[in-house]
Amino acid sequence: MNWTEVKIYTTTGGIEIINGALINLGIDDAVIEDAGVFDDFIHNDTLNWDYYDEELAEMKNCESCIKVYLSDDNQGKSLFKEIEKFIDGLKEEYKDIDLGRLEIETQILNDEDWANNWKQYFKPFTVSDKIIIKPTWEELSEPVEDKIVLEIDPGMSFGTGQHHTTRLCIEQMIKHVQKDTDVLDMGCGSGILSIAALLLGAKRATGVDIDENAVKTAKENAELNDIFEDRLALHCGDVTEDEDLQRKIGFEKYDMIVVNIIAQIIIGMSSTFPKFLKKGGLIIASGIIKKYVDDVVRNFEGLGFEIMEINESDEWVSVTARL
C-alpha cells in the first residue's frame, strides 16, 4: 500500500492545537517536529536523548511541523479534505495567535520508503534499568542480564516508547503492576504499554484504539513478544461513544488503566474510567503538558480519584491516581 505523508507547518504554540484536532478526526499517530526541541538540541549538550539523527546538530532555523500518514485510498483522501478544512478554519479562528504559516505539503510514500525512513531513527533504549525497548531490526550490543526485552516495530503507529510520555507511563507501571493485574490500555497505538504490562507480569491486558492500523500493529507487536489473544484482547472503536464496545471491554473489572494521550482527550474520556476500574484501581495518565496538569488533577478528583503521584519529564507530566 502507498501512503500520503501530510506535513503541516506551524509554531511550537500551534502543535498542541493541531494535534488535538487531528485526534478528534481519529488521527492519533502524528509525528511532531518541534522547533523548540531542535533549538534545545543545538544549544544544550547536556540533554539526555534516547535517539537522534546526527544531521540535527547541523540544523538552523528549524520550523515546527506535524506529520501524519494517510492511506492512499478513499478513506485517506476523505481525511485529507477534513484536515484542509480544519487548517483553513484555524487561520480565521486564531488570528491573534502566532500559528506560523499553516501550510500543508504532501508526498506519496510506499511501504518500503516508510521502513527505510524510520528505521534509522529508532535505536534500543532502557526504561528505569528494567525494560529494554528494542526495534526488531536492531541487535543488542551488550548482554541483557536481568532486563526485560520488549521487541517492537512501530509500523504506522508511532508509539515507540521513546517519547517522554510513554517512558513516564512505563516507569509507573513498573511500580504498580502485579502478577494478578488486569490492565486496560486506552488509545493503545503500537501496543507498547499493553505489551510492557504483560512482560512485567500482568495477568491480562485489553487495548482499544480508534485507528484500525494501530490495532493491527499492536497485534503484530504482541506476537513478536510471544503474546497472543489469550492474554491480550484488542478492540477498534470510540470507547467514549460506543456503548456496545464499552460492554465488550467490561465494566468494573480492571486493576489499572493506562492512557497516553493529550490532556484534553484524557479529560474528554475520563468519565469512562470509573466504569471500567475496580474500586481501588489505578489510572496512569500521561501525555499531559505541564500547564494542563491542574485541569487533569481537578477532573480526576471530581470523579472520585485520589492523586497518588505527579511525575515530570521535560515539559511532560504523568498523573497516577487511585479510585
Side-chain angles (χ1 to χ4, degrees), residues 216-236:
K216 178 176 180 290
T217 299
K219 181 176 184 295
E220 292 169 351
N221 282 325
E223 291 173 354
L224 287 174
N225 293 274
D226 295 322
I227 293 169
F228 302 96
E229 293 179 2
D230 61 324
R231 298 186 67 203
L232 175 60
L234 292 165
H235 305 280
C236 181

Side-chain angles (χ1 to χ4, degrees), residues 19-28 79 82-84 86 210:
N19 193 41
L22 292 172
I23 290 173
N24 286 333
L25 291 175
I27 305 170
D28 57 1
L79 278 173
E82 291 294 324
I83 291 172
E84 286 186 308
F86 165 72
I210 200 168

Side-chain angles (χ1 to χ4, degrees), residues 23 85 124 159 179 204 293 303:
I23 290 173
K85 181 179 177 181
K179 65 180 181 179
R204 185 170 172 80
V293 67
L303 293 168

Side-chain angles (χ1 to χ4, degrees), residues 5-128:
E5 180 185 68
V6 180
K7 293 183 180 180
I8 306 168
Y9 290 97
T10 184
T11 60
T12 296
I15 286 173
E16 185 169 3
I17 294 171
I18 295 173
N19 193 41
L22 292 172
I23 290 173
N24 286 333
L25 291 175
I27 305 170
D28 57 1
D29 297 323
V31 180
I32 294 173
E33 296 180 355
D34 187 345
V37 173
F38 288 141
D39 188 64
D40 284 343
F41 181 89
I42 292 168
H43 296 107
N44 189 339
D45 59 5
T46 65
L47 293 176
N48 180 21
W49 291 78
D50 292 328
Y51 70 97
Y52 67 94
D53 177 356
E54 292 178 357
E55 294 180 0
L56 292 183
E58 306 300 324
M59 295 180 68
K60 306 291 182 183
N61 301 318
C62 311
E63 185 174 8
S64 293
C65 173
I66 295 183
K67 294 190 288 188
V68 297
Y69 293 84
L70 307 178
S71 53
D72 189 26
D73 55 17
N74 289 335
Q75 181 183 17
K77 291 173 183 176
S78 176
L79 278 173
F80 180 68
K81 289 180 180 178
E82 291 294 324
I83 291 172
E84 286 186 308
K85 181 179 177 181
F86 165 72
I87 294 299
D88 287 340
L90 269 187
K91 294 175 181 178
E92 295 297 319
E93 184 177 354
Y94 292 92
K95 288 181 178 179
D96 297 330
I97 300 176
D98 181 14
L99 299 181
R101 55 191 175 108
L102 291 178
E103 292 188 7
I104 299 174
E105 293 181 1
T106 63
Q107 66 171 322
I108 300 296
L109 301 175
N110 61 38
D111 281 340
E112 184 176 356
D113 291 335
W114 164 254
N116 291 336
N117 284 342
W118 275 94
K119 287 183 179 179
Q120 62 183 311
Y121 299 117
F122 185 13
K123 304 297 180 183
F125 66 98
T126 304
V127 179
S128 295

Side-chain angles (χ1 to χ4, degrees), residues 120-225:
Q120 62 183 311
Y121 299 117
F122 185 13
K123 304 297 180 183
F125 66 98
T126 304
V127 179
S128 295
D129 202 35
K130 179 76 172 180
I131 295 182
I132 297 176
I133 311 295
K134 187 185 86 66
T136 54
W137 57 87
E138 288 284 338
E139 296 295 330
L140 296 175
S141 58
E142 300 176 357
V144 297
E145 298 179 351
D146 296 328
K147 296 181 178 65
I148 296 167
V149 178
L150 193 163
E151 296 258 0
I152 193 168
D153 187 332
M156 289 305 298
S157 296
F158 311 120
T160 61
Q162 294 172 327
H163 197 281
H164 295 282
T165 63
T166 308
R167 183 186 292 274
L168 285 166
C169 274
I170 293 177
E171 287 172 349
Q172 289 299 297
M173 290 163 62
I174 289 170
K175 294 180 184 179
H176 297 290
V177 167
Q178 306 291 329
K179 65 180 181 179
D180 59 348
T181 303
D182 202 337
V183 177
L184 175 59
D185 182 359
M186 298 185 71
C188 63
S190 65
I192 190 167
L193 296 181
S194 297
I195 296 166
L198 292 168
L199 293 179
L200 287 167
K203 177 177 65 176
R204 185 170 172 80
T206 299
V208 59
D209 201 289
I210 200 168
D211 185 343
E212 290 183 8
N213 286 321
V215 172
K216 178 176 180 290
T217 299
K219 181 176 184 295
E220 292 169 351
N221 282 325
E223 291 173 354
L224 287 174
N225 293 274

